[in-house]
Amino acid sequence: MELTLEKHDQMMLFKISNGEDLKKEFCTKLPIVDIIEQMGSFVSQKYKTNIKEIEMKNGSYAATKRFVGLATVNKLKTGWSRQLLQTIVRLDLKYVEELISLKQADLEEFNERIGIPRNSLLDRLSEKQRHHCSILKCPMGRNDSIEKSRATPVVHPQLNVCVDHFKKNTAFTDGRYKSSQEIRKAYEKAPRVSFKDVTKSKVETPEFTNKGSKKLREQHGLSLCIIGAAGAGKTTMTKRMVTTCMDEKKMPFLIPFAQIDKDERWSVKTLLTKFLCRFHDLKPSEEEIDEAFHWILANQEKCFLIFDGLDQSSFVISNEPIENPDINDEFLPGDLMSLLLSRKFLPNTRIAVTSRPHSLVQFAPAIQPDIVVFLNDLLSDDVEKLMNHYLDNGTASEMLEKLRTKSPRIHQLTRNPLLLRLIALLSNEKGENVWTYVSTIAKLFFEVVDLLQLSAHHERGDIDVEVLNRKLAAMAFYKIIEGSVVFEQSDLERYGLSGENVQDFLFGVLSSNHNNRTSNNALLVGLLEVFFYFHHQSTQEFFSARFVLEQLPVGEFEEFVGKLFPRLEKGADGKLKVGEDSFANLRVFVIGMVNEMKNRHQLDEDEILRKKNIFINFLCDHLRQLFVEEARGVMEHQRQMWVDMMDFRDEELNREIRQHLNDFNFLFNFGYLPVAAHREGFFHFMQHFVSNVRYLWLDIDEWSDDEIRRLFQSIQSSTAKIEEMEILMNPQQLEQWSDHVVAILPHLTRKLQLRLIGGDNRTCRKLKEGIINFDTSNLQTEELEVEVVEVREHMGGGRTLLDVVLRRGQPPQFNN
């Protein structure tokens, strides 16, 4: 068995330490003083003296343990293990020689366990992490059973590389919260990577071969940020990363940012050992900590540091890494993370940081990650797998089809793992009645929170549910106004709450002011000083929206609603620009609650009416500014407003909004709608809120048949009058949908132009027949022009295939 001196030393140390019985026997049988005297320079004179002193004071056993400890922390000269064996042979210590001589089986076990001895600190820490990561949580923070966690299908959202994230990705570099649809849009055509790329798993045939995938597979010492919207599955993915690494003979270290106190100082060694031991209720000796850290230093390529939830951190990572740092020194967390990300420490170790996107925006070049990976939507098949797992009754395909037809907005949200599970949870509780509960996100959260608070598991101490909810709402709102997700004990005390009262919705983090060690569960019952966070930021946004509707006085309500919609201002070029949209996520919940105002909120009729009118006035003023000729540069915000307004489901409220907009001429000059949710939003918006359209331009070339059908139905079922409309389509679509084109003619008042990508006069045959048979007395205008123009590659030009003028009460006049 040919081994290098260094590998021989590692294996010898592993064999001696791999089991308490062998280590005890070795330390008992070895005449350590005689041994070290004959090992020459392999043991320095300083350590020889130290070992002899220990032998005289505490005996040979203790002295031999010291020798092993020195070997563990690399204080002996390389090659010491071969010299030890030669010395043992010279002294004719056959029993000890047989005991520690290396065999092929030792090499195999060394490789199998990546050099980590049984029952060592890293071995115990691995088992603790594996157990922790094998248990998933439900959306409200409760642990699933081990059996349910193990049975959960292993699926991952699509992973997209954000190429040149800090220079080109304008979706995030302005520091604003963005809607999940806008976030996904930014990555629509970004290169994909696989989960196995992220974990650097060995695969025979890579799933992807782009530069990002290749970089992740070939370079271990990378820093990467994994970003995603609320509920995208970041924390679940980190748990999968931990178990995958362990299965593939790597040593992961999973550290939640929320558990790191901003004022507590750490070294690399204590963060990866003492911090995690405290988190997992382990109590190692200093000797074990030293041994573990020296293994980490010697095996950086086998380590994977995973930091979860940067957006929940109580500290800011320094943009200026400390110069010439000592790896043994202690630092504040912001400085230590800066040194790790800048690769001044552990440069050959892979580091991953998960976060909502906004937390990365201030990263200076010195700490920017080598690669940024975005968690996009779940794939359709994976949505179905998860839904089948979480549903108690029925099948996912039935559930998803009903969602698609009854509540398209919620159907889109099932691609988010958090919201998928909330919907399944509600379906299990309500059965077929679930369809009355999932029309809006706010309604969905109302029902799920109610379910939790009615359950036998709900623990709130001695406080009434309604009182608790009002206090949680106030606390959540004022923290969002501050731009914070962190709650201190003083915040809870201000509202007369304890850790026990809030433990169903918030989790606690132990402050560094306490030396006591306790289990994580104790942190939630008010025994110690802790910081608190909502289990999920969407829950904080939900309670904040409740406060806006239920508790803000009318005057303050009016002031805040003005901030819900971003300012629209003209730039130097005369075009509109969107200001900071700080409350985009909160706006969705507020809209849903305005929709539910008369059913859900404990307000008198006068207050309901006043708040509703205030909200409608601000909303309509915003829409009037948004859909005009100058708004070509704010199309993304236009689309987002459609999506937001899908949560208006009350017909009476929708009629009031449409009445407020009755005299406004909308201009829809957006053409291509690449995101399905934007199309759904447009259908809903057109059908319920629009009375007059100055101009409508749509590119439907890549739309599905169902989407095209719904487009025409939304126009037919609306009361809208459309002055001018252009549709880009292909010849097959025109032939298939000619009847529907004819059916919307009564809604047009000046011109309809169909722009065909190819085709000829025969393509218009069916449309021409429909127009000939059309009853022109149904026109809302005296004269309407219908034109079909051939275009090439989505551009202008080409010949006119059909030109007809329709006059009320008269036969069509064809001009070609």
Side-chain angles (χ1 to χ4, degrees):
M1 187 169 55
E2 294 294 329
L3 298 173
T4 65
L5 291 178
E6 186 176 8
K7 187 63 174 285
H8 195 280
D9 289 345
Q10 292 173 352
M11 281 190 58
M12 177 65 73
L13 189 59
F14 173 79
K15 181 162 186 174
I16 293 171
S17 305
N18 192 31
E20 285 300 314
D21 290 343
L22 188 149
K23 187 174 183 179
K24 183 177 181 181
E25 197 163 0
F26 173 76
C27 293
T28 302
K29 301 291 185 181
L30 196 69
I32 189 62
V33 174
D34 293 339
I35 292 291
I36 61 173
E37 283 297 340
Q38 297 193 36
M39 287 185 67
S41 64
F42 286 92
V43 183
S44 70
Q45 190 57 49
K46 171 186 171 182
Y47 291 125
K48 285 180 181 179
T49 302
N50 177 242
I51 290 170
K52 289 176 183 178
E53 289 173 350
I54 293 173
E55 196 272 341
M56 291 179 63
K57 186 176 181 180
N58 299 314
S60 180
Y61 183 87
T64 306
K65 280 193 68 177
R66 173 59 172 162
F67 173 81
V68 174
L70 290 170
T72 302
V73 296
N74 294 330
K75 297 300 183 182
L76 304 183
K77 183 179 176 181
T78 301
W80 65 266
S81 58
R82 289 191 190 277
Q83 186 65 25
L84 173 65
L85 277 172
Q86 291 171 11
T87 303
I88 288 171
V89 170
R90 284 199 301 270
L91 294 176
D92 199 25
L93 300 171
K94 294 186 182 297
Y95 179 76
V96 179
E97 178 188 359
E98 180 61 28
L99 190 67
I100 66 171
S101 291
L102 300 180
K103 303 175 177 61
Q104 182 64 34
D106 297 320
L107 176 60
E108 292 172 1
E109 186 172 9
F110 177 87
N111 292 333
E112 174 68 21
R113 298 187 59 80
I114 58 173
I116 298 176
R118 288 192 183 88
N119 205 39
S120 64
L121 175 58
L122 290 180
D123 186 45
R124 303 198 307 275
L125 191 55
S126 293
E127 288 306 309
K128 287 284 188 178
Q129 288 191 108
R130 184 182 288 277
H131 177 74
H132 172 73
C133 293
S134 66
I135 299 175
L136 304 179
K137 287 182 179 289
C138 80
M140 305 313 292
R142 296 192 175 282
N143 288 340
D144 286 336
S145 67
I146 293 178
E147 294 75 17
K148 190 174 185 67
S149 295
R150 287 175 178 169
T152 302
V154 178
V155 300
H156 303 291
Q158 297 178 67
L159 304 177
N160 295 96
V161 173
C162 180
V163 179
D164 210 357
H165 177 86
F166 294 92
K167 293 182 180 179
K168 297 180 180 177
N169 186 13
T170 55
F172 304 116
T173 52
D174 58 7
R176 294 182 292 157
Y177 284 93
K178 291 280 190 177
S179 73
S180 58
Q181 290 294 343
E182 286 182 285
I183 291 171
R184 286 193 290 270
K185 171 69 167 58
Y187 289 94
E188 189 179 38
K189 296 182 179 179
R192 288 183 60 187
V193 295
S194 70
F195 176 78
K196 291 185 179 294
D197 292 337
V198 171
T199 56
K200 200 173 179 286
S201 303
K202 292 182 179 179
V203 292
E204 290 186 10
T205 306
E207 187 175 356
F208 304 104
T209 57
N210 56 66
K211 290 181 180 179
S213 175
K214 187 175 181 180
K215 187 174 184 178
L216 285 167
R217 290 196 309 274
E218 295 180 356
Q219 301 178 34
H220 187 75
L222 290 176
S223 62
L224 61 147
C225 280
I226 301 170
I227 59 176
K234 298 182 292 294
T235 296
T236 299
M237 184 173 171
T238 63
K239 291 186 174 185
R240 303 288 195 202
M241 289 161 67
V242 167
T243 55
T244 298
C245 284
M246 290 180 178
D247 292 342
E248 296 176 352
K249 316 306 177 195
K250 302 187 190 84
M251 181 66 208
F253 299 84
L254 175 57
I255 299 175
F257 273 108
Q259 298 284 0
I260 304 176
D261 191 298
K262 64 184 175 66
D263 298 319
E264 193 166 5
R265 302 180 75 88
W266 300 95
S267 65
V268 177
K269 177 171 73 174
T270 55
L271 182 68
L272 300 183
T273 55
K274 285 186 177 181
F275 174 87
L276 281 176
C277 287
R278 186 170 74 182
F279 183 72
H280 292 292
D281 295 324
L282 289 174
K283 298 179 179 179
S285 66
E286 289 298 324
E287 181 183 1
E288 287 181 310
I289 288 172
D290 286 341
E291 291 174 359
F293 187 54
H294 277 84
W295 183 95
I296 293 168
L297 291 177
N299 296 274
Q300 293 184 40
E301 74 285 349
K302 296 176 183 175
C303 297
F304 196 165
L305 309 190
I306 306 166
F307 294 89
D308 184 36
L310 175 60
D311 48 293
Q312 295 181 340
S313 172
S314 62
F315 60 88
V316 176
I317 298 176
S318 172
N319 276 324
E320 298 181 5
I322 294 170
E323 292 295 330
N324 303 315
D326 187 329
I327 197 169
N328 296 306
D329 285 348
E330 292 185 341
F331 306 90
L332 289 172
D335 288 323
L336 182 56
M337 282 303 304
S338 177
L339 292 168
L340 286 167
L341 289 175
S342 64
R343 312 325 311 260
K344 291 183 180 292
F345 292 155
L346 304 182
N348 298 319
T349 295
R350 178 162 293 194
I351 297 177
V353 172
T354 71
S355 177
R356 284 195 186 185
H358 67 278
S359 297
L360 273 64
V361 297
Q362 301 301 328
F363 275 21
I367 65 169
Q368 288 172 4
D370 297 308
I371 193 165
V372 177
V373 176
F374 175 68
L375 270 68
N376 211 322
D377 283 336
L378 287 169
L379 296 170
S380 298
D381 289 347
D382 291 338
V383 169
E384 194 160 335
K385 287 178 187 176
L386 280 181
M387 186 69 82
N388 272 324
H389 173 70
Y390 289 121
L391 283 178
D392 291 341
N393 300 297
T395 66
S397 58
E398 294 171 348
M399 177 74 168
L400 293 169
E401 178 58 24
K402 286 184 178 179
L403 273 175
R404 190 190 64 77
T405 56
K406 292 176 179 287
S407 185
R409 170 70 182 267
I410 303 297
H411 179 267
Q412 290 292 327
L413 297 177
T414 58
R415 293 179 179 271
N416 177 290
L418 167 73
L419 296 173
L420 179 151
R421 189 157 184 195
L422 286 175
I423 294 163
L425 176 65
L426 189 59
S427 178
N428 293 339
E429 179 69 21
K430 302 295 184 181
E432 277 299 312
N433 292 329
V434 70
W435 306 111
T436 63
Y437 295 97
V438 296
S439 57
T440 72
I441 295 177
K443 205 168 186 180
L444 176 64
F445 270 80
F446 263 123
E447 295 305 323
V448 172
V449 169
D450 284 352
L451 282 178
L452 176 63
Q453 293 183 327
L454 289 171
S455 72
H457 300 287
H458 178 51
E459 299 174 7
R460 62 178 184 276
D462 55 356
I463 189 170
D464 177 74
V465 169
E466 288 302 321
V467 173
L468 171 63
N469 287 344
R470 288 178 67 83
K471 291 183 174 184
L472 281 174
M475 195 168 70
F477 173 76
Y478 286 114
K479 280 295 178 179
I480 276 191
I481 294 299
E482 294 175 15
S484 174
V485 297
V486 182
F487 299 83
E488 299 180 6
Q489 282 187 319
S490 58
D491 294 314
L492 271 67
E493 291 166 1
R494 189 177 303 120
Y495 293 96
L497 296 173
S498 67
E500 183 182 13
N501 298 148
V502 302
Q503 62 184 313
D504 278 331
F505 298 105
L506 288 86
F507 64 86
V509 182
L510 181 63
S511 168
S512 61
N513 295 330
H514 295 273
N515 295 320
N516 297 1
R517 290 181 180 173
T518 184
S519 69
N520 291 331
N521 291 334
L523 302 181
L524 297 178
V525 294
L527 300 178
L528 300 173
E529 182 182 357
V530 292
F531 298 123
F532 293 89
Y533 301 78
F534 274 91
H535 286 302
H536 201 282
Q537 287 185 27
S538 293
T539 312
Q540 183 178 354
E541 290 156 359
F542 163 74
F543 276 107
S544 298
R546 289 192 66 169
F547 181 81
V548 171
L549 269 296
E550 296 175 358
Q551 298 184 57
L552 270 185
V554 172
E556 293 179 33
F557 175 84
E558 183 169 10
E559 181 182 352
F560 178 73
V561 170
K563 300 175 182 177
L564 270 182
F565 304 99
R567 291 176 63 87
L568 299 171
E569 297 178 344
K570 285 187 178 181
D573 57 1
K575 295 181 180 179
L576 280 183
K577 300 188 184 302
V578 181
E580 186 174 2
D581 198 4
S582 303
F583 302 108
N585 292 333
L586 186 56
R587 182 171 61 238
V588 179
F589 282 102
V590 173
I591 286 174
M593 290 185 185
V594 169
N595 186 77
E596 289 288 299
M597 188 179 284
K598 64 183 180 183
N599 302 320
R600 274 282 183 178
H601 306 294
Q602 305 301 313
L603 306 172
D604 61 45
E605 291 186 12
D606 179 63
E607 187 169 356
I608 288 176
L609 181 62
R610 292 173 68 189
K611 286 187 172 181
K612 180 183 68 175
N613 288 339
I614 288 169
F615 188 86
I616 290 176
N617 286 335
F618 272 104
L619 170 67
C620 293
D621 285 347
H622 189 67
L623 295 176
R624 287 171 182 271
Q625 297 177 63
L626 191 58
F627 292 96
V628 293
E629 179 67 32
E630 298 86 354
R632 290 176 180 269
V634 297
M635 292 179 185
E636 287 298 314
H637 184 58
Q638 290 177 339
R639 295 163 183 168
Q640 189 57 50
M641 286 304 301
W642 299 335
V643 175
D644 290 351
M645 290 183 67
M646 287 179 71
D647 275 16
F648 282 122
R649 294 285 169 173
D650 182 85
E651 286 301 321
E652 180 181 340
L653 182 61
N654 290 352
R655 282 194 297 272
E656 289 187 55
I657 295 172
R658 185 169 60 241
Q659 185 62 36
H660 274 70
L661 296 168
N662 190 52
D663 62 346
F664 179 66
N665 282 307
F666 283 87
L667 192 144
F668 299 119
N669 191 14
F670 37 75
Y672 184 51
L673 294 178
V675 179
H678 292 160
R679 300 169 197 167
E680 296 286 352
F682 174 71
F683 303 152
H684 183 81
F685 191 83
M686 190 72 189
Q687 183 174 354
H688 293 286
F689 307 115
V690 176
S691 297
N692 298 286
V693 178
R694 164 67 185 84
Y695 178 71
L696 171 59
W697 155 231
L698 280 173
D699 174 354
I700 66 172
D701 177 40
E702 296 180 4
W703 287 22
S704 69
D705 287 350
D706 184 60
E707 288 172 329
I708 296 173
R709 181 181 296 105
R710 296 184 65 193
L711 166 66
F712 287 120
Q713 287 176 347
S714 68
I715 295 174
Q716 284 180 256
S717 59
S718 74
T719 59
K721 296 179 181 178
I722 304 172
E723 186 174 341
E724 188 172 353
M725 181 174 181
E726 290 185 34
I727 303 178
L728 181 71
M729 61 199 319
N730 59 58
Q732 293 76 23
Q733 289 173 330
L734 178 59
E735 290 186 20
Q736 182 177 353
W737 301 101
S738 288
D739 291 345
H740 290 74
V741 172
V742 173
I744 66 169
L745 293 179
H747 290 270
L748 294 157
T749 62
R750 194 173 78 84
K751 183 176 182 179
L752 170 64
Q753 185 181 74
L754 304 177
R755 302 166 68 82
L756 287 191
I757 307 168
D760 53 32
N761 294 75
R762 291 173 297 178
T763 308
C764 304
R765 191 174 299 162
K766 186 175 180 181
L767 176 62
K768 186 172 183 178
E769 292 175 0
I771 291 175
I772 291 172
N773 295 320
F774 174 68
D775 185 353
T776 57
S777 63
N778 291 324
L779 291 175
Q780 295 191 48
T781 183
E782 290 299 322
E783 183 175 297
L784 173 67
E785 181 182 359
V786 178
E787 185 179 43
V788 181
V789 178
E790 179 196 14
V791 296
R792 297 180 179 88
E793 298 180 356
H794 293 60
M795 302 299 291
R799 54 189 174 136
T800 300
L801 302 179
L802 180 68
D803 183 9
V804 57
V805 175
L806 302 177
R807 294 184 177 88
R808 186 188 296 165
Q810 298 181 28
Q813 179 183 329
F814 292 93
N815 298 321
N816 67 339

